[in-house]
Amino acid sequence: MFLTKYIQIREDLRNFCHKEDGVTAIEYALVAVAIAGIVAVVFSGDTGSLQKALSDAMTKISTQING
């Protein structure tokens, strides 16, 4: 009885370790968190370099359009 339970648990653990479905979900979550962190850093504060560059570009475009 104990031997059969031991074998069953061992096989279940072996099968669990070889599954890759959950690994891809975790990888997607890590990538999403990394992208969110990068976006937060880039757009944080009033003097963010990307934000300033975009603001300057929009100002130049609107100046050219309006004359």
Side-chain angles (χ1 to χ4, degrees):
M1 180 174 159
F2 289 114
L3 182 60
T4 57
K5 284 294 183 186
Y6 170 76
I7 293 171
Q8 181 183 5
I9 291 172
R10 186 174 167 192
E11 289 298 317
D12 289 342
L13 285 174
R14 182 179 295 154
N15 290 337
F16 179 75
C17 291
H18 289 288
K19 285 186 179 180
E20 295 184 5
D21 296 339
V23 174
T24 55
I26 292 171
E27 289 171 350
Y28 284 129
L30 289 174
V31 169
V33 168
I35 290 172
I38 291 168
V39 168
V41 168
V42 167
F43 288 106
S44 67
D46 294 335
T47 60
S49 61
L50 181 62
Q51 186 175 2
K52 184 172 180 352
L54 290 174
S55 177
D56 291 344
M58 294 305 278
T59 302
K60 288 179 185 179
I61 291 170
S62 64
T63 302
Q64 291 292 326
I65 291 173
N66 293 331

